[in-house]
Amino acid sequence: MTASAENGVVWPGPDPSASAEELALLPRAQSDRALTEELLNHVLQPPPWLGRAILVAGGLSSVLLAAVLYTVLTGIGVWGNNIPVAWAFGITNFVWWIGIGHAGTFISAFLLLLEQKWRTSINRFAEAMTLFALVQAGLFPLLHMGRPWFFYWLIPYPSTMGVWPQFRSSLTWDVVAVSTYFTVSLLFWYLGLIPDLAAVRDFAPERWRRRIYGVFALGWHGSAAAWRRHRIAYGVLAGIAAPLVVSVHSIVSMDFAIGVLPGWHSTIFPPYFVAGAIYSGFAMVLTLMIPARRLYRLEHVITRDHLDKMAKLLLVTGTLVTYAYAVEIYCAWVGGDAFERHLLLEVRPRGPMAPLFWLVIACNCGSPLLLWSRRVRRSTLALFALSLTIQLGMWLERLMLIVSSESADFLPAIFHGYRPTLIDGGLLFGTLAFFCFLFLLFLRFVPFIPLTELKALEFELRGRK
Amino acid sequence: MSGRTQIWAEFATGSLVLAAARALRDLGHRELSAFTPYPIPELEEVLELPRPRLLLALVLAGACLGGGLAFLIIWWTAVVSYPLNVGGRPLNSFVTDIPILFESAVLGAAATAFAATLGLSGLPRLHHPLDAISGFERSSLDRFWLGVVFDQEVDPDLPGALQELGALRVHRGEAAP
Amino acid sequence: MPPLARGRSAFRADEPEFVFGQDQPPDELSRRQFLALSGVTLAAASAALSGCTRAPAEKIVPYRVQPSEIVPGRPLHYATAATWDGYARGLLVESHEGRPSKIEGNPQHPASLGASSAEEQALLLELYDPRRLRAISKRGAPVSQAELLSVLGAAGDGVRKGRGVHLVLPALSSPLVAEQLAELALRLPELTLHFHVPLARRAAWQGAKLAFGKVLDTRVDLRRADVVLALDADPLARGPNALGLARAFAERRQPSSRYGGMNRLYVVETAMSVTGANADQRLALPPSAISRFVAALLRKIALASGGEAAAAVAQALPELTLGDQAERFVNSLAADLLQHRAASAVLVGDEQPAEVHAAACALNALLENGEHVLSYAPPVVLGSDRDDYASLQGLRDALAAGSVETLLVFDSDIAYASAVDWELARLLPKAKRSVCFGLFRTRTSAACEFEAPAAHVLESWLDTRALDGTISLVQPLLSPLYSGTTVSELLARLSGDPEPSAHDLLKRFWQRARPDQFDEFWETALARGVVTGSESATYPPGAPSFAWLGGLARASAEHGIELSLRADPRLHDGRLGNQPWLLELPCPVTKLAWDNAVWFGPGLAQQLGVANGDVVTLSASGRSLSAPALVVPGHADGAISLALGWGRDSFDGTEVVGVDAYQLLDSTRGHHTRVRVTRTGRHAELALTQDTMRLGEGAESIMLSRTLSEHESQRASGSRIKRQLSLYSGDAAQSPRQWGMTIDLNACTGCSACVVACQAENNIPSVGKRGVLKHREMHWLRIDRYLTGSDAAPRVLQQPMACQHCEKAPCEYVCPTGATVHSSDGLNQMVYNRCVGTRFCSNNCPYKVRRFNWFDYHESDRSPRALAQNPEVTVRARGVMEKCTYCVQRIRTAEIRARSSGRALAASEVQTACEQACPTRAIAFGDVNDPSSEVARLRASDRAFEVLAELGTAPRTRYLMKLTNPNPELA
């Protein structure tokens, strides 16, 4: 079909009910036709650089493959871990990646429930990020095991050994939490995607494309009844996903909180970790969004207002995290537990861990203060830099939390430091590359701006007579 | 040949189809249906679609099933099948079950919600009768279709009325049984 | 980085020294390399691995009353004896179907009393060492035995009377060998005999000779000594009766000892020693100052006791000034000694000059420490009466003069472990013919014409004597793996016996010695491991002479920092070769593994700007040696010290471990010399297993230590140690028997024998220096060491730390697979097969006693060394966690035995490996529910405490508070 089929539809003036601020979210009035064409063409005629980018990312991902193979074939000893520091990079990466994922769900679920219209143009982005982050996160619990080929022993199945998993351990909780989280995120994402896939199906000129997208669209036709069910189910899933996010990172935090170690054995961990997770997640959303929006010329869809709002959320979560740090140290100070005092008042701020500690404070507590300034919030460059700083900071925070407690817990005789190896670094780098690879594939094949939702928003803001 | 016929009208915007639906309902037509590129809540009201109670019920059931099953597994493995002294903790330590119970409930709910949504809408399906109408595929892009069912004779004035309501074209077809 | 080092690691992986690279991943390459090993190796290795070690042809007699026939799967124990520096220590060797698998001490033997040291444990590893000589070779090429025999024949040719034949033997006390040597002296009167003893007791003997006119050994019964003074001596860890002394000492550490109250130990030494770590009052002095100190002490005691001694001393010894700290020390010491006349002991280390030993003799005499405390007897060691005992000067001169026709060296590395000024390494080739019998290729054997395998002690028939003269028969556990020769066989050949058999030689000798009821004697002697009633008579010394006083406290005019060359607490003089168990055993004092470093006092280190790991060069009279420095709190500041026995040459391409301190040992100066210290600017990584030696916050919940008086006042006031309560109700399904352990910190000397015993019993791998540097050592039992007080004069607290078997174990509830759970009889069990290696248990263990298999440590061991493993204990695979099991294999074996013989299990029946090895009986294990058991009694003691009790882990292992008995005057 061609644009000629478009016969002049007179667009009414702005709907008085839509506030100026809301209108700013879609500054340019566009017909459904125009929106469809613009957004779907990203999929049908991908920009030339994309293919090359995918190749590069794929190539770099081989680092991950190599590191994984080497680790599995020779033994976990190729990492820097030791006794007492039995967990280090592996678990740090796990917690960090999970945290990244949370922002996606938060944006798509929480903001949906709160009827934040501005989420519309970025939520699929964010959800995809969640999924791919979870893929990376999922790697590490497996890899860090001494015998990864027996990972399935954490799943209850009737075996000839007649034994079962031990469900008092937070590691079994992790298995359930993470797998649930991944499944729900996937369903949520896919449910929202179905109408858009149908759109591609019906829009794509080539037959084969129609076929393929047709299959994934599951034969969706937007009958009013189907839309109603879809809307409600989507709402329900959002309602489920929102508490899920909170629960998942709470459980992750319990990998430490149920331990007896000073600095781990703390009731503040769940909220503390959730805040930190969403904090780093938002940072990651910005990191991905800012370049994509530029590359795809989407400044009118993902506007500075979007960035501004994201920045404000960063500020909020950043403040929460800072508060958590403060409370943690204060509790140690008044708590009077000798070992906790030693760890939080000596080892971390003044001991061998000090540089790490202060770097974390600078990145996670210091840098977000810049966001009080509107100019920073609206400058893409500054935001991009900040988002990277914050992600680094959050990664270091996890490392600091994990390693410092292990390396100086109770008996001074077994206090030891930790030195990572090249393999440790390779795994982290590899997952980053692999994450980019997956994300680029997503940009290539999936309508990454929710078409139908955008049209609905357009209609909501301007469509009514 | 059921003898039931259905008139399909294509509109260019959501507001037009909404207006048309209202008009038809005022004319006393009850069996209305619509296909739109995106959800239009008002339209759903006009068409008087019922609340999908079944869907919600299923979701609730899914949650209970998930949670319940999880508890049974944990309790049975730890207390009945292979009781072990683990750190001197009670065999049935419910407190430590809570996280898993919650997650499992969520999983059950989400899975059923997804399955029910598709199932109740008759998805997945490979072919839809309306695909026969040329240009109907634009219903997922930028066109809005409104359908009216007639038991016997079609009201002769209707097509004209639809034209006036802004229909780009009107199509006469056989109603799905 | 592992991948880069792969080639080398692979080489290590299967070459005998595989352990050095053990932290490197084993890989395919290593297997191919293994096949590339010599056919002999392969044969030996594979034969060994398939478990077909041959039992000796002759009848050997198992220990005590056991069914002497082999029951498959049930090990037998055989009594035999090892000989260190000529003195016997009784062994009890466990043997599975003719394969020795564990060494214990022989309870019947006076020098062992059932205990064993790390050295005895390591004998097992030495037996199976893949580097052992396997064939006779000439200049490195295998030759027939005939060729060697012709050389021996020529040497033993009676016509030539042994002219130009030099025979070097290690220290021996064998009656059989004594007789053989006598015969040989008649047959070959011109044969020259040398004894090679790197760390001889010559100075002690000569000291006694100065004092009493006769070479004598001192025997002490520390149970009778209220006050003990150790002068640069380490009686609790070294010397012919270290195990016995440690036991006696520990008995007197108990406030409720039946020999009288708690004793008081004064130590004056240069380098911190095991004994020094247990001192109530310790004074660190450089070597030269020690003799001055003794002089001052002798003067005070003599003047106090009056008589002609007083006169002699007064006119021979001037009033010496020591500096006020030493002054205060010597005053209160003298007072204390005089207060406990006839109930004290003054002991001196072998490295001290003869005069100091003489002074000790005099002191003991003046203090009337008679027979019951301290007695004298002629040494049992062969050749001890020779003035040139242990000196190879004669051999050196002969070699230099080219007058050595045939040199026969038996089991002595004279080119390595001897004074450097003898230059034996250079001179050895001057011997026209030379044969070296030994277990390994050594610097000596490499320089000799012929290399021939000697028999290992566990392969030999011989006899040997302990310090008190008690005779033990040495019986083999298996016939020589590599057809090695024993010393008796060599001597027999020299006296013309064409086909000597060690067994027949020994049996015939004793038939002559004990003609009546010989068979009964033979059987019982072999079975018991000792010949009853064979102690030698003591020698009443009479009044000491003081003619030697002039030699005491000679002020030295030399300059430079004093260097004290010590015996290493683990490797002794290096005779055991590089056995990984010993190399990886952290030094009891410094916790340094895989190295011997130069010890600096904190003050001197600061003054010279030396820090841990800085490589320094020590140079003296043209010779120099570079070694890493280590700052040791409590080390005397005027001096530095370095351990002997390290830096042995490596002949298999693996790196040399430590530095060879013999390079600085000068026969004219003895063990104390003066050196110049220069920093090289280089830095070496030191494999310290413990970084932090100071107890920080929460000290009192980790370690309890009080002085005797504090303890008594506390007891009087009735204040008790708090016990934790638990929120959880008692566990279900508890069996009536509940295993538990107590460790008496007051008895533990920190000697670390238990660590190696545990390693031997439980198939614990060594991870090599790199492994230790990465903090991946696998020891299930470690000894934590804490210092209090100043760095210059620290107090030492030591705490053996293994799995505490917590009743509310934090490791258990965090394991996702239930791989660590609790048994009904109170053991914290580790189910290797179920472990997936998440390591959460280790994180959550407040005691950090769990160990992880980072690599497949055992897979790479295809050498005979694998034979040393205990068949009762699972060998852990890669990726699983492991830890102390309370020796569950021993528990279950005992239970099964009891059940099959239909009786109840006795409380004393189960001994853990560490408990059995412990010389001081610091460790008690048993059923805590059985009121009659030792462990139950000790758990209830008012000194018993739980480590980190406030965590609510309810440990099954309890510790008994350490007590010290300082001199209030010096406090």
Side-chain angles (χ1 to χ4, degrees), chain C residues 286-302:
Chain C
S288 60
I290 287 178
S291 55
R292 292 167 57 78
F293 179 92
V294 177
L297 178 63
L298 181 58
R299 196 162 190 283
K300 293 193 188 305
I301 301 289

Side-chain angles (χ1 to χ4, degrees), chain A residues 72-74 76-77 79 81-83 86-87 144 146-147 153 166 169-170 255 258-261 406 409 413 416, chain C residues 689 691 774-776 784 786 813-816 832-833 835-840 843-844 848 852 854-855 878:
Chain A
V72 172
L73 293 178
T74 47
I76 204 75
W79 295 7
N81 301 32
N82 59 38
I83 302 291
W87 287 355
H144 100 292
R147 305 200 289 174
W153 284 358
Q166 204 280 105
S169 165
S170 54
D255 288 347
I258 69 165
V260 297
L261 266 59
E406 289 171 319
D409 56 352
H416 288 308
Chain C
T689 61
D691 298 343
K774 283 188 173 174
H775 307 303
R776 290 174 177 174
D784 293 350
Y786 299 112
Y813 71 82
V814 297
C815 175
Y832 307 125
N833 287 352
C835 178
V836 295
T838 67
R839 306 189 294 289
F840 201 168
N843 285 344
N844 212 32
K848 289 285 178 288
F852 187 68
W854 301 97
F855 293 113
R878 167 191 142 193

Side-chain angles (χ1 to χ4, degrees), chain A residues 429-444:
Chain A
F429 175 81
T431 46
L432 285 168
F434 189 47
F435 176 79
C436 295
F437 179 63
L438 292 177
F439 201 83
L440 290 167
L441 287 181
F442 159 76
L443 290 181
R444 171 67 187 81

Side-chain angles (χ1 to χ4, degrees), chain A residues 305-354:
Chain A
D305 292 311
H306 288 100
L307 301 184
D308 183 80
K309 288 187 159 47
M310 291 292 296
K312 283 175 179 159
L313 270 174
L314 268 185
L315 188 51
V316 172
T317 44
T319 318
L320 283 174
V321 169
T322 311
Y323 171 76
Y325 291 167
V327 168
E328 198 184 19
I329 292 171
Y330 173 77
C331 289
W333 180 53
V334 296
D337 175 327
F339 300 105
E340 199 175 357
R341 290 176 68 96
H342 176 246
L343 183 78
L344 279 114
L345 306 182
E346 298 294 328
V347 176
R348 282 183 188 169
R350 297 181 229 173
M353 292 279 159

Side-chain angles (χ1 to χ4, degrees), chain C residues 956-970:
Chain C
R956 256 309 155 75
T957 300
R958 283 189 186 165
Y959 291 82
L960 270 64
M961 178 200 307
K962 177 169 176 71
L963 298 180
T964 54
N965 187 11
N967 184 333
E969 294 176 29
L970 286 169

Side-chain angles (χ1 to χ4, degrees), chain C residues 662-878:
Chain C
Y662 286 106
Q663 293 302 322
L664 292 176
L665 181 63
D666 187 318
S667 62
T668 60
R669 303 163 163 278
H671 288 268
H672 303 135
T673 168
R674 287 178 183 266
V675 293
R676 237 182 57 256
V677 179
T678 48
R679 301 220 309 283
T680 61
R682 279 181 291 122
H683 191 85
E685 275 198 303
L686 291 176
L688 289 161
T689 61
Q690 186 175 338
D691 298 343
T692 317
M693 291 262 187
R694 292 284 175 177
L695 278 166
E697 300 196 50
E700 61 293 330
S701 65
I702 295 173
M703 186 79 185
L704 284 184
S705 160
R706 299 202 182 120
T707 66
L708 183 59
S709 46
E710 284 168 356
H711 176 56
E712 265 149 11
S713 59
Q714 292 239 353
R715 180 192 272 159
S717 70
S719 73
R720 307 190 57 71
I721 296 167
K722 284 202 288 318
R723 295 262 176 268
Q724 293 287 316
L725 300 171
S726 171
L727 285 174
Y728 295 105
S729 55
D731 317 327
Q734 284 283 29
S735 86
R737 186 180 294 123
Q738 292 296 316
W739 299 106
M741 180 181 277
T742 57
I743 301 177
D744 187 346
L745 300 178
N746 206 26
C748 174
T749 62
C751 71
S752 303
C754 50
V755 178
V756 181
C758 173
Q759 184 163 30
E761 170 73 16
N762 293 300
N763 302 338
I764 298 172
S766 310
V767 296
K769 182 174 183 176
R770 259 187 244 84
V772 177
L773 281 171
K774 283 188 173 174
H775 307 303
R776 290 174 177 174
E777 58 271 23
M778 297 297 283
H779 292 144
W780 286 2
L781 171 60
R782 62 172 200 266
I783 296 187
D784 293 350
R785 180 181 176 88
Y786 299 112
L787 302 180
T788 62
S790 73
D791 268 0
R795 283 209 172 287
V796 183
L797 304 172
Q798 306 186 97
Q799 186 172 47
M801 184 54 66
C803 176
Q804 305 285 297
H805 292 268
C806 311
E807 289 163 11
K808 303 281 182 285
C811 54
E812 290 177 7
Y813 71 82
V814 297
C815 175
T817 55
T820 181
V821 292
H822 233 69
S823 75
S824 58
D825 53 2
L827 303 179
N828 170 266
Q829 297 173 313
M830 186 66 219
V831 189
Y832 307 125
N833 287 352
R834 182 64 176 168
C835 178
V836 295
T838 67
R839 306 189 294 289
F840 201 168
C841 52
S842 169
N843 285 344
N844 212 32
C845 172
Y847 313 95
K848 289 285 178 288
V849 291
R850 291 175 154 261
R851 300 302 187 190
F852 187 68
N853 288 271
W854 301 97
F855 293 113
D856 197 337
Y857 289 124
H858 291 279
E859 190 266 351
S860 61
D861 190 0
R862 283 191 194 65
S863 69
R865 213 176 242 146
L867 282 173
Q869 288 181 341
N870 180 353
E872 304 293 330
V873 176
T874 314
V875 167
R876 278 79 59 188
R878 167 191 142 193

Side-chain angles (χ1 to χ4, degrees), chain A residues 154-170:
Chain A
L154 275 72
I155 298 158
Y157 71 100
S159 74
T160 50
M161 296 180 282
V163 290
W164 303 96
Q166 204 280 105
F167 292 106
R168 292 174 195 80
S169 165
S170 54

Side-chain angles (χ1 to χ4, degrees), chain A residues 448-459:
Chain A
F448 53 87
I449 305 276
L451 179 56
T452 46
E453 289 185 44
L454 215 57
K455 289 188 217 163
L457 179 63
E458 178 74 50
F459 175 78

